[in-house]
Amino acid sequence: MSRDRDFSTIGRALATPARSAFLNLLMDGTSRPAGELAQAAGVSASTASEHLAILVEAGLVTCAAQGRRRLYRLADASVAEALEALGVLADPTPVTGYRRSRQAEHLAAARFCYDHLAGRLGTALARAWVEAGWLAGRDVLALTTAGEDGFRALRVDVDGALVARRPTTRACPDWTERRPHLAGALGAAVGRRFLEAGWVVRHRAGRGLAVTGPGLAELRERWGVSLRG
Amino acid sequence: MSRDRDFSTIGRALATPARSAFLNLLMDGTSRPAGELAQAAGVSASTASEHLAILVEAGLVTCAAQGRRRLYRLADASVAEALEALGVLADPTPVTGYRRSRQAEHLAAARFCYDHLAGRLGTALARAWVEAGWLAGRDVLALTTAGEDGFRALRVDVDGALVARRPTTRACPDWTERRPHLAGALGAAVGRRFLEAGWVVRHRAGRGLAVTGPGLAELRERWGVSLRG
DNA sequence: GGGACGCTTCGGCCGCCGCCGAAACGTCGT
DNA sequence: ACGACGTTTCGGCGGCGGCCGAAGCGTCCC
């Protein structure tokens, strides 16, 4: 069975709560220093370092030195996709402590899922773009010709997304909402454009996104998108 | 971070070569007794029983008693999808022994990927159906209106696939070919139809498919599909 | 250059887990 | 009813791996 895949090595890499926590923290596509990951996961710096080495060894995470810090991030979009698929199977971890609620609410509103918009913002946009005829297939989110023009008008790099090596569009299951949001090369291009235009801003330390005033008004006017829970 | 997913429990479930081998054996959607899995993975019956209990506990496989035997199978299509996504990251296990070559060749030609056709057969069909205009998007495989009629003419249950809870179509990365094959509700409907019509037959003990004479001729005539490597 | 800082490496401890054989349990066939 | 068979449970062994503190290494800052 030379076609068999070895799930055990990757499985081992995922198999501890600390490493799972690290991956969750990195799933928004950000780069984070080892110390921050250690503190967030509640392990000592030395333990975190060992865990991170294992994740790098497994090819799930890459490390970039920046001065005396080392920044870790997911290795690849395919890693994020695999973790998303696994997340569909995994139960959400129980809420620990009441301080989480505001934070969780914040994340549910708008966040990045590796390189594309997720949360209520991501799913609402996907829904709106399907209704506008820009994307076809409620659960497929295929780009239509109308969508090509529409996204171009938003100054999203549609042409780059059309010739990218990975699929132009992909429906990514949103863990907090029940609906998919837009991923794939176009999803990433949309995310870049939203950041570049300042419609969303990455939250400093946290994982969420702030939606700026003009962006929020634009969203509500054009697509009837509301971020109310 | 109540949105976090616990990858560690599922990771543990995947984290041994024996359990990885079991999942590989079950990825074609078949149900297999514990003893067969034990023998295939090269562990004792008692060890296999423990491993299978762990996989059941993790929700990855289910167990159905049949007489004095117990048949194990993947729990769900979402499990197969997650394993596919993980398989993209995982290296293929090294070929062990030359006897594998015929077997591997056999699997590369045609096999089931949980509930849909894969291997050269699956990817060639997907390509042909894109060229025929039945599916749109080389890497998306969205169903077109022409495709609805076409698949109906093949007596594939298109309408069931259109209203299924899961996406109608999904592009599933084929590990042996470089191209995607058709998955999702329609992929499963196509697989059922091919079995029902006798165009393909599940191989007795192995994981491959036999393509029957009439089916093969039909494939070649209608879609120019060849199974030659 | 000296000290603070971030990270990794090392050594040692402890617990978990994979492995097996033997025994128990339930089912099938005669 | 009895033995054969498939599977699970149990007990015990051995090794891997997660955890930490201390020490080592490189970088930044005054």
Side-chain angles (χ1 to χ4, degrees):
Chain A
M1 320 275 179
S2 71
R3 304 291 160 191
D4 284 11
R5 296 286 154 156
D6 174 27
F7 300 123
S8 66
T9 348
I10 290 187
R12 294 208 74 79
L14 305 175
T16 91
R19 294 199 285 267
S20 172
F22 290 168
L23 292 171
N24 271 290
L25 287 163
L26 297 175
M27 275 213 59
D28 61 355
T30 55
S31 297
R32 295 173 185 271
E36 179 183 333
L37 295 169
Q39 189 175 6
V43 295
S44 72
S46 58
T47 302
S49 178
E50 291 170 355
H51 282 312
L52 289 167
I54 289 170
L55 290 174
V56 169
E57 171 69 17
L60 300 178
V61 161
T62 59
C63 176
Q66 177 195 305
R68 58 185 163 186
R69 302 193 310 172
R70 302 221 185 160
L71 298 180
Y72 290 88
R73 45 176 292 187
L74 290 194
D76 195 343
S78 65
V79 173
E81 292 176 23
L83 292 178
E84 287 155 16
L86 272 187
V88 173
L89 304 182
D91 287 327
T93 52
V95 181
T96 58
Y98 70 95
R99 276 194 70 256
R100 306 296 192 187
S101 58
R102 270 189 70 98
Q103 178 80 332
E105 167 54 28
H106 193 210
L107 289 177
R111 66 174 188 280
F112 259 79
C113 179
Y114 190 62
D115 57 8
H116 53 272
L117 299 166
R120 274 200 298 283
L121 174 61
T123 54
L125 284 173
R127 182 203 302 250
W129 288 333
V130 167
E131 288 173 2
W134 290 15
L135 301 174
R138 223 184 54 108
D139 294 321
V140 177
L141 306 183
L143 181 62
T144 66
T145 51
E148 290 188 30
D149 297 336
F151 285 115
R152 273 199 200 94
L154 287 181
R155 296 177 53 198
V156 169
D157 180 17
V158 175
D159 302 291
L162 284 172
V163 300
R165 261 178 50 252
R166 53 174 170 161
T168 304
T169 66
R170 198 171 61 82
C172 176
D174 196 290
W175 297 344
T176 60
E177 313 299 306
R178 291 301 193 91
R179 307 173 57 83
H181 55 248
L182 178 65
L186 184 64
V190 167
R192 284 196 305 274
R193 174 65 183 138
F194 269 61
L195 281 177
E196 177 205 60
W199 298 337
V200 297
V201 180
R202 279 193 189 269
H203 217 227
R204 296 149 278 292
R207 302 165 53 199
L209 289 173
V211 181
T212 58
L216 195 56
E218 171 94 2
L219 295 179
R220 202 180 290 124
E221 286 172 23
R222 289 193 58 131
W223 295 303
V225 168
S226 164
L227 297 185
R228 304 277 160 179
Chain B
M1 323 272 177
S2 72
R3 304 290 161 191
D4 284 11
R5 298 284 153 157
D6 174 26
F7 300 123
S8 67
T9 34
I10 291 189
R12 293 209 74 78
L14 305 176
T16 92
R19 294 199 285 267
S20 173
F22 291 168
L23 292 172
N24 272 290
L25 287 164
L26 297 175
M27 275 214 58
D28 61 356
T30 55
S31 296
R32 294 171 186 272
E36 179 183 332
L37 295 169
Q39 189 175 6
V43 294
S44 72
S46 58
T47 301
S49 178
E50 292 170 354
H51 282 310
L52 289 167
I54 288 170
L55 290 174
V56 169
E57 171 68 18
L60 298 179
V61 308
T62 59
C63 177
Q66 176 194 306
R68 59 185 161 186
R69 303 194 307 171
R70 303 220 184 161
L71 299 179
Y72 290 88
R73 44 176 292 189
L74 290 194
D76 194 343
S78 65
V79 174
E81 291 177 24
L83 292 178
E84 288 156 17
L86 271 187
V88 174
L89 304 182
D91 287 328
T93 53
V95 181
T96 58
Y98 71 95
R99 275 193 71 257
R100 305 296 191 188
S101 58
R102 272 189 69 98
Q103 178 80 331
E105 167 54 27
H106 193 212
L107 289 177
R111 65 174 188 279
F112 259 80
C113 179
Y114 190 63
D115 58 8
H116 53 271
L117 298 167
R120 274 199 299 282
L121 174 62
T123 54
L125 284 173
R127 182 203 301 250
W129 288 333
V130 167
E131 288 174 3
W134 290 14
L135 301 174
R138 221 183 55 106
D139 294 320
V140 178
L141 307 183
L143 181 62
T144 66
T145 52
E148 290 187 30
D149 298 336
F151 285 114
R152 272 199 200 95
L154 287 182
R155 296 177 52 196
V156 170
D157 179 18
V158 175
D159 301 292
L162 284 173
V163 300
R165 262 180 46 253
R166 54 175 170 159
T168 305
T169 65
R170 197 171 61 82
C172 174
D174 195 290
W175 297 344
T176 60
E177 312 300 304
R178 290 300 193 90
R179 307 174 58 84
H181 55 249
L182 178 65
L186 183 65
V190 167
R192 284 197 305 273
R193 174 64 183 139
F194 268 61
L195 281 177
E196 176 204 61
W199 297 336
V200 298
V201 180
R202 278 193 190 269
H203 217 228
R204 297 148 278 290
R207 303 164 53 199
L209 290 172
V211 181
T212 57
L216 195 57
E218 172 94 1
L219 294 178
R220 202 181 290 125
E221 285 171 24
R222 288 194 58 131
W223 295 303
V225 168
S226 165
L227 297 185
R228 304 278 160 178

PDB file of all heavy atoms in Angstrom, chain A residues 148-158 189-190 192-194 196-197 199:
ATOM      1  N   GLU A 148     -16.195  38.492 -10.860  1.00  0.00           N
ATOM      2  CA  GLU A 148     -14.879  38.979 -11.312  1.00  0.00           C
ATOM      3  C   GLU A 148     -14.894  40.498 -11.434  1.00  0.00           C
ATOM      4  O   GLU A 148     -13.998  41.181 -10.934  1.00  0.00           O
ATOM      5  CB  GLU A 148     -14.521  38.349 -12.669  1.00  0.00           C
ATOM      6  CG  GLU A 148     -14.209  36.868 -12.580  1.00  0.00           C
ATOM      7  CD  GLU A 148     -13.670  36.340 -13.905  1.00  0.00           C
ATOM      8  OE1 GLU A 148     -13.029  37.108 -14.650  1.00  0.00           O
ATOM      9  OE2 GLU A 148     -13.909  35.150 -14.189  1.00  0.00           O
ATOM     10  N   ASP A 149     -15.938  41.020 -12.077  1.00  0.00           N
ATOM     11  CA  ASP A 149     -16.030  42.472 -12.220  1.00  0.00           C
ATOM     12  C   ASP A 149     -16.217  43.142 -10.864  1.00  0.00           C
ATOM     13  O   ASP A 149     -15.583  44.159 -10.574  1.00  0.00           O
ATOM     14  CB  ASP A 149     -17.207  42.817 -13.145  1.00  0.00           C
ATOM     15  CG  ASP A 149     -16.991  42.258 -14.543  1.00  0.00           C
ATOM     16  OD1 ASP A 149     -15.813  42.032 -14.907  1.00  0.00           O
ATOM     17  OD2 ASP A 149     -17.990  42.034 -15.250  1.00  0.00           O
ATOM     18  N   GLY A 150     -17.086  42.560 -10.052  1.00  0.00           N
ATOM     19  CA  GLY A 150     -17.385  43.173  -8.765  1.00  0.00           C
ATOM     20  C   GLY A 150     -16.153  43.266  -7.879  1.00  0.00           C
ATOM     21  O   GLY A 150     -15.852  44.328  -7.324  1.00  0.00           O
ATOM     22  N   PHE A 151     -15.428  42.167  -7.772  1.00  0.00           N
ATOM     23  CA  PHE A 151     -14.242  42.183  -6.909  1.00  0.00           C
ATOM     24  C   PHE A 151     -13.165  43.095  -7.496  1.00  0.00           C
ATOM     25  O   PHE A 151     -12.435  43.750  -6.762  1.00  0.00           O
ATOM     26  CB  PHE A 151     -13.707  40.766  -6.706  1.00  0.00           C
ATOM     27  CG  PHE A 151     -14.534  39.948  -5.754  1.00  0.00           C
ATOM     28  CD1 PHE A 151     -15.224  38.827  -6.200  1.00  0.00           C
ATOM     29  CD2 PHE A 151     -14.637  40.298  -4.410  1.00  0.00           C
ATOM     30  CE1 PHE A 151     -15.992  38.070  -5.329  1.00  0.00           C
ATOM     31  CE2 PHE A 151     -15.402  39.552  -3.541  1.00  0.00           C
ATOM     32  CZ  PHE A 151     -16.086  38.432  -4.001  1.00  0.00           C
ATOM     33  N   ARG A 152     -13.081  43.137  -8.829  1.00  0.00           N
ATOM     34  CA  ARG A 152     -12.125  44.070  -9.437  1.00  0.00           C
ATOM     35  C   ARG A 152     -12.460  45.498  -9.054  1.00  0.00           C
ATOM     36  O   ARG A 152     -11.572  46.302  -8.771  1.00  0.00           O
ATOM     37  CB  ARG A 152     -12.132  43.917 -10.960  1.00  0.00           C
ATOM     38  CG  ARG A 152     -11.182  42.852 -11.468  1.00  0.00           C
ATOM     39  CD  ARG A 152     -10.851  43.025 -12.942  1.00  0.00           C
ATOM     40  NE  ARG A 152     -10.363  41.744 -13.449  1.00  0.00           N
ATOM     41  CZ  ARG A 152     -11.120  40.839 -14.042  1.00  0.00           C
ATOM     42  NH1 ARG A 152     -12.411  41.089 -14.246  1.00  0.00           N
ATOM     43  NH2 ARG A 152     -10.609  39.697 -14.447  1.00  0.00           N
ATOM     44  N   ALA A 153     -13.771  45.818  -9.052  1.00  0.00           N
ATOM     45  CA  ALA A 153     -14.177  47.181  -8.686  1.00  0.00           C
ATOM     46  C   ALA A 153     -13.783  47.498  -7.250  1.00  0.00           C
ATOM     47  O   ALA A 153     -13.554  48.658  -6.903  1.00  0.00           O
ATOM     48  CB  ALA A 153     -15.684  47.340  -8.872  1.00  0.00           C
ATOM     49  N   LEU A 154     -13.709  46.476  -6.407  1.00  0.00           N
ATOM     50  CA  LEU A 154     -13.257  46.679  -5.026  1.00  0.00           C
ATOM     51  C   LEU A 154     -11.732  46.734  -4.951  1.00  0.00           C
ATOM     52  O   LEU A 154     -11.180  46.853  -3.862  1.00  0.00           O
ATOM     53  CB  LEU A 154     -13.748  45.534  -4.129  1.00  0.00           C
ATOM     54  CG  LEU A 154     -15.233  45.491  -3.770  1.00  0.00           C
ATOM     55  CD1 LEU A 154     -15.507  44.305  -2.863  1.00  0.00           C
ATOM     56  CD2 LEU A 154     -15.642  46.782  -3.089  1.00  0.00           C
ATOM     57  N   ARG A 155     -11.102  46.602  -6.090  1.00  0.00           N
ATOM     58  CA  ARG A 155      -9.632  46.590  -6.177  1.00  0.00           C
ATOM     59  C   ARG A 155      -9.050  45.371  -5.482  1.00  0.00           C
ATOM     60  O   ARG A 155      -7.951  45.429  -4.915  1.00  0.00           O
ATOM     61  CB  ARG A 155      -9.034  47.895  -5.639  1.00  0.00           C
ATOM     62  CG  ARG A 155      -9.451  49.103  -6.494  1.00  0.00           C
ATOM     63  CD  ARG A 155      -8.927  50.421  -5.931  1.00  0.00           C
ATOM     64  NE  ARG A 155      -7.501  50.384  -5.701  1.00  0.00           N
ATOM     65  CZ  ARG A 155      -6.856  51.247  -4.901  1.00  0.00           C
ATOM     66  NH1 ARG A 155      -7.528  52.175  -4.260  1.00  0.00           N
ATOM     67  NH2 ARG A 155      -5.559  51.167  -4.734  1.00  0.00           N
ATOM     68  N   VAL A 156      -9.797  44.285  -5.564  1.00  0.00           N
ATOM     69  CA  VAL A 156      -9.250  43.003  -5.120  1.00  0.00           C
ATOM     70  C   VAL A 156      -8.480  42.401  -6.297  1.00  0.00           C
ATOM     71  O   VAL A 156      -8.918  42.500  -7.445  1.00  0.00           O
ATOM     72  CB  VAL A 156     -10.377  42.046  -4.685  1.00  0.00           C
ATOM     73  CG1 VAL A 156      -9.854  40.639  -4.477  1.00  0.00           C
ATOM     74  CG2 VAL A 156     -11.050  42.579  -3.435  1.00  0.00           C
ATOM     75  N   ASP A 157      -7.347  41.764  -6.012  1.00  0.00           N
ATOM     76  CA  ASP A 157      -6.507  41.223  -7.082  1.00  0.00           C
ATOM     77  C   ASP A 157      -7.113  39.929  -7.625  1.00  0.00           C
ATOM     78  O   ASP A 157      -6.654  38.827  -7.342  1.00  0.00           O
ATOM     79  CB  ASP A 157      -5.097  40.967  -6.555  1.00  0.00           C
ATOM     80  CG  ASP A 157      -4.194  40.390  -7.640  1.00  0.00           C
ATOM     81  OD1 ASP A 157      -4.550  40.498  -8.837  1.00  0.00           O
ATOM     82  OD2 ASP A 157      -3.147  39.827  -7.284  1.00  0.00           O
ATOM     83  N   VAL A 158      -8.155  40.096  -8.438  1.00  0.00           N
ATOM     84  CA  VAL A 158      -8.861  38.933  -8.980  1.00  0.00           C
ATOM     85  C   VAL A 158      -7.961  38.157  -9.925  1.00  0.00           C
ATOM     86  O   VAL A 158      -7.929  36.914  -9.900  1.00  0.00           O
ATOM     87  CB  VAL A 158     -10.139  39.384  -9.713  1.00  0.00           C
ATOM     88  CG1 VAL A 158     -10.814  38.207 -10.386  1.00  0.00           C
ATOM     89  CG2 VAL A 158     -11.093  40.069  -8.737  1.00  0.00           C
ATOM     90  N   ALA A 189      -6.947  37.141  -1.335  1.00  0.00           N
ATOM     91  CA  ALA A 189      -6.840  38.452  -1.981  1.00  0.00           C
ATOM     92  C   ALA A 189      -7.816  39.433  -1.348  1.00  0.00           C
ATOM     93  O   ALA A 189      -7.488  40.602  -1.121  1.00  0.00           O
ATOM     94  CB  ALA A 189      -7.110  38.308  -3.480  1.00  0.00           C
ATOM     95  N   VAL A 190      -9.014  38.954  -1.045  1.00  0.00           N
ATOM     96  CA  VAL A 190      -9.997  39.815  -0.383  1.00  0.00           C
ATOM     97  C   VAL A 190      -9.474  40.235   0.987  1.00  0.00           C
ATOM     98  O   VAL A 190      -9.551  41.409   1.372  1.00  0.00           O
ATOM     99  CB  VAL A 190     -11.348  39.077  -0.243  1.00  0.00           C
ATOM    100  CG1 VAL A 190     -12.266  39.831   0.705  1.00  0.00           C
ATOM    101  CG2 VAL A 190     -11.994  38.905  -1.602  1.00  0.00           C
ATOM    102  N   ARG A 192      -6.366  40.498   1.976  1.00  0.00           N
ATOM    103  CA  ARG A 192      -5.302  41.479   1.811  1.00  0.00           C
ATOM    104  C   ARG A 192      -5.882  42.860   1.496  1.00  0.00           C
ATOM    105  O   ARG A 192      -5.456  43.875   2.031  1.00  0.00           O
ATOM    106  CB  ARG A 192      -4.359  41.047   0.674  1.00  0.00           C
ATOM    107  CG  ARG A 192      -3.396  39.937   1.039  1.00  0.00           C
ATOM    108  CD  ARG A 192      -2.258  39.832   0.023  1.00  0.00           C
ATOM    109  NE  ARG A 192      -2.732  39.677  -1.343  1.00  0.00           N
ATOM    110  CZ  ARG A 192      -3.035  38.517  -1.904  1.00  0.00           C
ATOM    111  NH1 ARG A 192      -2.916  37.398  -1.211  1.00  0.00           N
ATOM    112  NH2 ARG A 192      -3.448  38.462  -3.156  1.00  0.00           N
ATOM    113  N   ARG A 193      -6.883  42.854   0.624  1.00  0.00           N
ATOM    114  CA  ARG A 193      -7.473  44.129   0.223  1.00  0.00           C
ATOM    115  C   ARG A 193      -8.148  44.819   1.411  1.00  0.00           C
ATOM    116  O   ARG A 193      -8.027  46.033   1.590  1.00  0.00           O
ATOM    117  CB  ARG A 193      -8.484  43.894  -0.891  1.00  0.00           C
ATOM    118  CG  ARG A 193      -9.274  45.114  -1.288  1.00  0.00           C
ATOM    119  CD  ARG A 193      -8.393  46.189  -1.904  1.00  0.00           C
ATOM    120  NE  ARG A 193      -9.155  47.399  -2.216  1.00  0.00           N
ATOM    121  CZ  ARG A 193      -8.728  48.634  -2.003  1.00  0.00           C
ATOM    122  NH1 ARG A 193      -7.519  48.837  -1.485  1.00  0.00           N
ATOM    123  NH2 ARG A 193      -9.475  49.667  -2.308  1.00  0.00           N
ATOM    124  N   PHE A 194      -8.845  44.049   2.230  1.00  0.00           N
ATOM    125  CA  PHE A 194      -9.524  44.636   3.387  1.00  0.00           C
ATOM    126  C   PHE A 194      -8.509  45.242   4.346  1.00  0.00           C
ATOM    127  O   PHE A 194      -8.752  46.298   4.921  1.00  0.00           O
ATOM    128  CB  PHE A 194     -10.390  43.581   4.097  1.00  0.00           C
ATOM    129  CG  PHE A 194     -11.803  43.522   3.593  1.00  0.00           C
ATOM    130  CD1 PHE A 194     -12.077  43.215   2.279  1.00  0.00           C
ATOM    131  CD2 PHE A 194     -12.870  43.791   4.451  1.00  0.00           C
ATOM    132  CE1 PHE A 194     -13.382  43.162   1.808  1.00  0.00           C
ATOM    133  CE2 PHE A 194     -14.180  43.740   3.987  1.00  0.00           C
ATOM    134  CZ  PHE A 194     -14.450  43.427   2.668  1.00  0.00           C
ATOM    135  N   GLU A 196      -5.401  46.253   3.483  1.00  0.00           N
ATOM    136  CA  GLU A 196      -4.748  47.361   2.789  1.00  0.00           C
ATOM    137  C   GLU A 196      -5.621  48.601   2.793  1.00  0.00           C
ATOM    138  O   GLU A 196      -5.139  49.716   3.016  1.00  0.00           O
ATOM    139  CB  GLU A 196      -4.453  46.931   1.337  1.00  0.00           C
ATOM    140  CG  GLU A 196      -3.835  47.983   0.466  1.00  0.00           C
ATOM    141  CD  GLU A 196      -4.144  47.718  -1.001  1.00  0.00           C
ATOM    142  OE1 GLU A 196      -5.351  47.681  -1.385  1.00  0.00           O
ATOM    143  OE2 GLU A 196      -3.200  47.567  -1.774  1.00  0.00           O
ATOM    144  N   ALA A 197      -6.920  48.406   2.573  1.00  0.00           N
ATOM    145  CA  ALA A 197      -7.836  49.535   2.533  1.00  0.00           C
ATOM    146  C   ALA A 197      -8.161  50.053   3.926  1.00  0.00           C
ATOM    147  O   ALA A 197      -8.781  51.098   4.078  1.00  0.00           O
ATOM    148  CB  ALA A 197      -9.125  49.123   1.820  1.00  0.00           C
ATOM    149  N   TRP A 199     -10.190  48.660   5.996  1.00  0.00           N
ATOM    150  CA  TRP A 199     -11.560  48.333   6.396  1.00  0.00           C
ATOM    151  C   TRP A 199     -11.569  47.460   7.636  1.00  0.00           C
ATOM    152  O   TRP A 199     -12.515  47.455   8.404  1.00  0.00           O
ATOM    153  CB  TRP A 199     -12.295  47.636   5.250  1.00  0.00           C
ATOM    154  CG  TRP A 199     -12.425  48.505   4.042  1.00  0.00           C
ATOM    155  CD1 TRP A 199     -12.381  49.879   4.034  1.00  0.00           C
ATOM    156  CD2 TRP A 199     -12.587  48.107   2.691  1.00  0.00           C
ATOM    157  NE1 TRP A 199     -12.526  50.347   2.752  1.00  0.00           N
ATOM    158  CE2 TRP A 199     -12.654  49.287   1.906  1.00  0.00           C
ATOM    159  CE3 TRP A 199     -12.700  46.881   2.048  1.00  0.00           C
ATOM    160  CZ2 TRP A 199     -12.814  49.254   0.525  1.00  0.00           C
ATOM    161  CZ3 TRP A 199     -12.865  46.834   0.678  1.00  0.00           C
ATOM    162  CH2 TRP A 199     -12.915  48.015  -0.078  1.00  0.00           C
TER     163      TRP A 199
END
